Amino acid sequence: MIRLILVAVFLIGFLILSIPVFFVEWLIGKRNPALKDRSSLRIVQGAFKVIIWLSGVKLTVIGEENVPKDQPVLYIGNHRSYFDIVLTYARCPRLTGYVAKKEMLKIPLLSTWMKYLYCLFLDRSDIKEGLKTILTAIDQMKNGISIMIFPEGTRGKSASELEMAPFHEGSFKIATKTGCPIIPVAITNSSAVFEDHFPFIKSVPVIIEYGKPIDPSKMTRAEQKFIGRQTQETIYGMLEKNRIMRSV
């Protein structure tokens, strides 16, 4: 319980102290938008690193060299825990917007940081609004902002993390329409941090593996239709390998 209390106190304190920071960031953005983007990214990443430390997560990262540093990418990951966002965002080498459910807009202060960091809010019940979100993501990608999306549509709650829901192929239009590389991200054992024994936070090993980039620009249109399946199979293979490695 002590880890949960520490994380909750830190998070609430960070959000409250963010109120004057928002004003400062807004002023910076008026004169130098790029500087404001970088500073917002580093502030939030710093807070997430503190949360990871307080949680006691024993993180192993594999394949980070597969992430290009000189261009935006589309990160595609499996999703089992709220900690997936904390763990992966803390490692983004450049400005990255996450696609989140629209309900996140209701959380004061946190939603402001998300807007500062170009996160997008998806209405999963409205197809037209969902399409608008994808089009906005395409525009952001063209402006040099990476995108992270969990194309299962919601957090997986099955007994095994290998039991993923089918990936929504519409998410991959962000890559096929821009030609940006897709980075498969396999997150192993993240639900053991919190969700598996709610409301406790436990110090457990978590593995994040970044797969080799998948380049949609080198695929035919027919191949692009199944790019979601290919990406999911790649993630499945990494999850299966890392599950065995974790149990050894």
Side-chain angles (χ1 to χ4, degrees):
M1 183 61 76
I2 187 65
R3 293 186 189 277
L4 176 65
I5 294 171
L6 288 173
V7 169
V9 169
F10 173 79
L11 182 58
I12 293 170
F14 171 75
L15 291 176
I16 292 173
L17 292 174
S18 293
I19 295 173
V21 176
F22 290 143
F23 180 67
V24 174
E25 290 289 275
W26 178 77
L27 288 177
I28 294 173
K30 286 291 184 181
R31 291 181 172 271
N32 191 333
L35 177 60
K36 180 244 185 184
D37 287 344
R38 290 196 300 273
S39 60
S40 293
L41 173 65
R42 300 311 176 199
I43 290 170
V44 172
Q45 285 185 321
F48 281 175
K49 288 176 182 177
V50 173
I51 290 174
I52 294 168
W53 179 72
L54 291 173
S55 302
V57 173
K58 303 179 182 83
L59 184 61
T60 298
V61 181
I62 302 170
E64 205 161 25
E65 68 278 3
N66 290 323
V67 182
K69 307 298 189 294
D70 58 349
Q71 66 179 121
V73 301
L74 176 64
Y75 297 98
I76 296 290
N78 62 307
H79 191 26
R80 300 271 298 176
S81 171
Y82 290 117
F83 271 83
D84 295 337
I85 293 93
V86 175
L87 294 165
T88 56
Y89 201 82
R91 308 199 68 85
C92 291
R94 57 186 295 133
L95 194 63
T96 303
Y98 278 45
V99 177
K101 57 186 179 182
K102 70 169 186 177
E103 288 79 7
M104 297 295 290
L105 281 167
K106 299 176 182 178
I107 303 176
L109 304 179
L110 177 60
S111 59
T112 303
W113 275 120
M114 293 177 74
K115 291 175 184 176
Y116 272 26
L117 295 171
Y118 299 91
C119 291
L120 301 172
F121 301 92
L122 179 65
D123 185 346
R124 292 175 292 187
S125 64
D126 190 322
I127 295 176
K128 285 187 177 180
E129 288 301 314
L131 179 59
K132 287 182 182 179
T133 301
I134 296 299
L135 293 175
T136 301
I138 290 171
D139 287 339
Q140 289 187 181
M141 186 75 71
K142 290 177 179 178
N143 289 324
I145 300 168
S146 294
I147 299 292
M148 174 82 178
I149 192 165
F150 302 107
E152 292 173 90
T154 187
R155 283 186 300 113
K157 299 178 177 66
S158 59
S160 171
E161 57 202 352
L162 296 179
E163 297 177 23
M164 292 180 283
F167 283 6
H168 296 293
E169 292 285 345
S171 308
F172 294 86
K173 290 187 182 296
I174 300 169
T176 57
K177 295 295 184 182
T178 61
C180 75
I182 297 168
I183 304 297
V185 184
I187 308 167
T188 301
N189 204 43
S190 60
S191 62
V193 179
F194 182 58
E195 282 79 5
D196 289 352
H197 36 72
F198 176 86
F200 301 101
I201 291 177
K202 290 192 176 182
S203 174
V204 298
V206 175
I207 301 171
I208 298 176
E209 181 168 4
Y210 298 90
K212 292 183 178 180
I214 297 172
D215 189 349
S217 66
K218 296 181 179 178
M219 296 180 173
T220 64
R221 287 193 176 183
E223 290 172 332
Q224 288 180 359
K225 290 181 180 179
F226 301 101
I227 197 169
R229 184 188 302 173
Q230 177 185 343
T231 305
Q232 187 166 28
E233 288 173 354
T234 300
I235 292 173
Y236 181 93
M238 292 189 291
L239 288 172
E240 190 171 37
K241 170 178 66 74
N242 292 333
R243 184 181 64 161
I244 295 170
M245 182 178 78
R246 181 171 57 86
S247 62
V248 172

